[in-house]
Amino acid sequence: MAISCKEEISTIERRLNSAGAEKVTGVKPDQGATSSNSPKALDEQPKGEPSDPSTKPSGPGVLNAKAMIEKARDQEKAGDEKGCQDTMTKVKETAGALP
């Protein structure tokens, strides 16, 4: 079963407000860092560099991804599931692999 865009927004938003994102951006989230609450979450960031350099997170990338979430939220509210899913794909690519 596919995850709805609304659920995906919530999941990715938690990642963009996580301690890992804070480490990358140097900016504390307004409400404080959150936990992904994922059973697959690692206790600490893996050592070394990502095998795909394009997935390396950057401060500007995370901040741009946060801004793009609003567009996805608007698309979801308008009933544009495909547009929302496309935007969320871009959000994840823009944010990179967060620690």
Side-chain angles (χ1 to χ4, degrees):
M1 182 172 176
I3 186 170
S4 74
C5 199
K6 186 174 187 174
E7 291 171 313
E8 189 168 9
I9 289 169
S10 178
T11 299
I12 300 303
E13 203 164 36
R14 282 194 306 273
R15 291 282 299 139
L16 295 174
N17 289 316
S18 69
E22 180 182 336
K23 186 185 281 187
V24 170
T25 63
V27 177
K28 285 188 180 243
D30 294 337
Q31 309 299 316
T34 61
S35 167
S36 68
N37 293 324
S38 170
K40 296 180 182 180
L42 301 175
D43 292 332
E44 61 183 56
Q45 180 177 356
K47 306 293 184 231
E49 294 294 316
S51 57
D52 180 355
S54 70
T55 64
K56 186 169 183 167
S58 69
V62 171
L63 296 174
N64 286 338
K66 284 183 176 187
M68 292 169 68
I69 287 278
E70 292 307 314
K71 178 180 179 182
R73 190 174 278 118
D74 290 344
Q75 290 170 316
E76 189 273 327
K77 286 179 184 173
D80 183 5
E81 186 73 17
K82 171 83 169 93
C84 182
Q85 291 290 346
D86 290 346
T87 299
M88 289 308 297
T89 297
K90 291 175 188 169
V91 166
K92 291 183 272 188
E93 290 170 352
T94 302
L98 294 170

